[in-house]
Amino acid sequence: MDVAGNILLPVVAAGVYRDELAQGLLSFKRHGQHQLVENLARALAAAVRAATADADGFLLVPVPTSTAAYVNRGFSPVHLLLKGAAGHLSGAAVVDVLRKVRPAGARPPAWPGLPGGQKGLGRGARSQRVRGSMRVSVRSRPAVAGRPCIIVDDVLTTGATIGEAARALHQAGAKVRGAVVLAATRPPDAAEPAAGSRAGPPKQA
């Protein structure tokens, strides 16, 4: 943890959030094109294997979706992708222990139902908005206490969501080893990678 209390984690992404990967993920999430799940899940599984080096005993913990998003879509993208990825993985178990909660003293959004969610918010604003928004229930804590965990999400932007998931798991006694995402956005000032080159070192959440 750094001096500000944020948990710094290595994050492995299956790819950069652009071009075909971005379009495929948006089509799946926004338009329910579930025929894309198999290809997206296979990419997610490859990222999990890279993060764990095929080691056994890791717990994969999906980031929970909000109730509003679940009602709107009728499914949780992360959970569905992870379910598909499980068929391509061995030695890792999925534990669905994180839950969304309303932080103490939190106020409802000024414009309920406004589309876009956290889009447009910077890292600091996102971190402040999600702080205290996840928890592991007392009943679920024994499932992760003392166990090595990898957080799984669909897209990494500022890292605020993964940071909050890590905080909640750490508080429950889990040993958070890192995170895996299907796609990661690039910083605004990042240069475009040359054709055929790697996207660069893992991002930090």
Side-chain angles (χ1 to χ4, degrees):
M1 301 180 70
D2 65 13
V3 293
N6 299 310
I7 300 174
L8 300 179
L9 297 171
V11 180
V12 175
V16 178
Y17 187 71
R18 64 178 187 179
D19 302 333
E20 291 87 354
L21 181 56
Q23 289 299 321
L25 187 52
L26 285 173
S27 295
F28 163 58
K29 292 177 64 175
R30 293 184 179 177
H31 305 296
Q33 295 187 15
H34 289 197
Q35 70 272 20
L36 299 172
V37 170
E38 177 58 28
N39 287 335
L40 294 175
R42 190 181 300 115
L44 182 62
V48 170
R49 288 194 297 270
T52 62
D54 291 322
D56 293 335
F58 278 93
L59 299 180
L60 303 178
V61 184
V63 168
T65 189
S66 67
T67 301
Y70 186 87
V71 170
N72 184 50
R73 295 190 183 108
F75 65 96
S76 167
V78 176
H79 288 74
L80 200 56
L81 288 172
L82 195 49
K83 181 179 179 181
H88 302 282
L89 298 169
S90 61
V94 178
V95 289
D96 187 15
V97 296
L98 285 173
R99 294 291 178 267
K100 287 277 188 130
V101 295
R102 175 169 290 184
R107 297 180 179 180
W111 300 278
L114 183 67
Q118 298 190 113
K119 290 180 181 178
L121 296 180
R123 182 183 179 90
R126 285 191 179 220
S127 296
Q128 184 176 14
R129 183 169 182 175
V130 302
R131 184 73 177 177
S133 65
M134 296 184 204
R135 67 168 177 161
V136 178
S137 70
V138 174
R139 180 180 299 180
S140 298
R141 288 185 179 186
V144 296
R147 301 289 303 277
C149 295
I150 299 289
I151 299 166
V152 182
D153 203 0
D154 52 0
V155 179
L156 172 70
T157 49
T158 65
T161 299
I162 288 177
E164 169 60 14
R167 183 204 61 79
L169 286 168
H170 181 78
Q171 192 174 53
K175 297 179 179 179
V176 184
R177 300 304 191 196
V180 170
V181 295
L182 183 60
T185 60
R186 297 182 62 80
D189 59 347
E192 289 294 320
S197 67
R198 298 177 65 88
K203 294 177 179 292
Q204 297 290 315

